[in-house]
Amino acid sequence: MKFIIAIIKPFKLDEVRDALSAVGVQGMTVSEVKGFGRQKGQTEIYRGAEYTTNMVPKVKIEIAVSDALGPRVVETIAQAAKTDAIGDGKIFVLELGGAVRIRTGEIDDLAL
Ligand SMILES: Nc1ncnc2c1ncn2[C@@H]1O[C@H](COP(=O)(O)OP(=O)(O)OP(=O)(O)O)[C@@H](O)[C@H]1O
Ligand SMILES: [Mg+2]
């Protein structure tokens, strides 16, 4: 299994979520976060506000998926979140060692 963490522009969340549902993702966790990339000191516009600090609001999506679905999920996020402007975000892929669906006791792929 893979654990995929994507940092994206907040306004792209609905589009990314819909695209992921369409490829079979069953669940995800979403958090509001702040971060910075390479443009330290440069401005980035978010909702009309210029961020001259290094911290820009982003959305973090966390998704556990089967190994089979992993590449598709990464491609889908990359396409749906892309605007071609700076700050479009990043996708990190981790190996996932286990998963449990608490209600049923199913484990690993069956738990996702
Ligand atoms: N190396 C990193 N480690 C952890 N989080 C990162 C890293 N790089 C970027 N992020 C997160 O992703 C967000 C968006 O990064 P961003 O897209 O600006 O990266 P970038 O390398 O500056 O690319 P670009 O030149 O397209 O802006 C950051 O605000 C931060 O939350
Ligand atoms: Mg950047």
Side-chain angles (χ1 to χ4, degrees), residues 36-39 44 86-88:
F36 66 88
R38 298 181 191 205
Q39 288 81 20
E44 193 175 319
I86 60 168
D88 272 357

Side-chain angles (χ1 to χ4, degrees), residues 6 8 16 72-83 88 91:
I8 64 168
V16 169
R72 190 87 195 275
V73 165
V74 172
E75 284 163 26
T76 300
I77 297 169
Q79 283 174 13
K82 188 175 172 70
T83 71
D88 272 357
I91 304 168

Side-chain angles (χ1 to χ4, degrees), residues 36-55:
F36 66 88
R38 298 181 191 205
Q39 288 81 20
K40 298 185 192 73
Q42 266 189 247
T43 57
E44 193 175 319
I45 307 289
Y46 172 68
R47 289 200 172 149
E50 259 191 19
Y51 284 79
T52 48
T53 71
N54 290 335
M55 295 293 173

Side-chain angles (χ1 to χ4, degrees), residues 5-26:
I5 302 170
I7 313 293
I8 64 168
K9 288 180 169 164
F11 82 93
K12 280 290 193 177
L13 176 59
D14 285 348
E15 205 175 320
V16 169
R17 189 193 56 198
D18 292 348
L20 288 174
S21 296
V23 302
V25 168
Q26 306 264 37

